[in-house]
Amino acid sequence: MDWKIFLTIFVSVFIAELGDKTQLATMLFAADKTVSKWSVFLAASAALVLSSAIGVLVGSLLSTYIDTKYLQYLAGAGFILIGAYTLITA
């Protein structure tokens, strides 16, 4: 395993997930006194693992048809558009 790549991905995803809608929804579920905190943790973890697996599969599939360089441009443009839309509609 390439630990540099592992840590880069871990830190990137960890920072991206802090304070996002997923974390806020998880906190709201955990705030319910009648709900098991382990259930919230396991369900949220499983959902993140599944969504990450889908991302890996789609990324792998796309990279067989599209050059990785162009996928990075596309992802960057997507983030810029989402950011611009968020700023405009705020």
Side-chain angles (χ1 to χ4, degrees):
M1 180 184 304
D2 186 341
W3 286 104
K4 182 178 178 183
I5 296 294
F6 178 89
L7 289 173
T8 300
I9 295 167
F10 176 85
V11 170
S12 298
V13 171
F14 182 77
I15 290 171
E17 291 297 321
L18 284 178
D20 77 342
K21 293 179 285 189
T22 304
Q23 187 180 37
L24 296 175
T26 303
M27 288 189 314
L28 288 174
F29 285 121
D32 186 343
K33 294 187 186 327
T34 63
V35 175
S36 164
K37 305 317 175 223
W38 280 107
S39 294
V40 174
F41 173 74
L42 292 173
S45 298
L48 184 56
V49 167
L50 180 59
S51 65
S52 297
I54 292 169
V56 169
L57 290 173
V58 170
S60 296
L61 180 66
L62 286 176
S63 70
T64 61
Y65 298 105
I66 303 172
D67 185 4
T68 306
K69 179 180 172 183
Y70 295 118
L71 286 175
Q72 291 173 344
Y73 289 147
L74 183 62
F79 279 115
I80 290 170
L81 289 173
I82 291 169
Y85 175 78
T86 302
L87 286 173
I88 291 168
T89 59

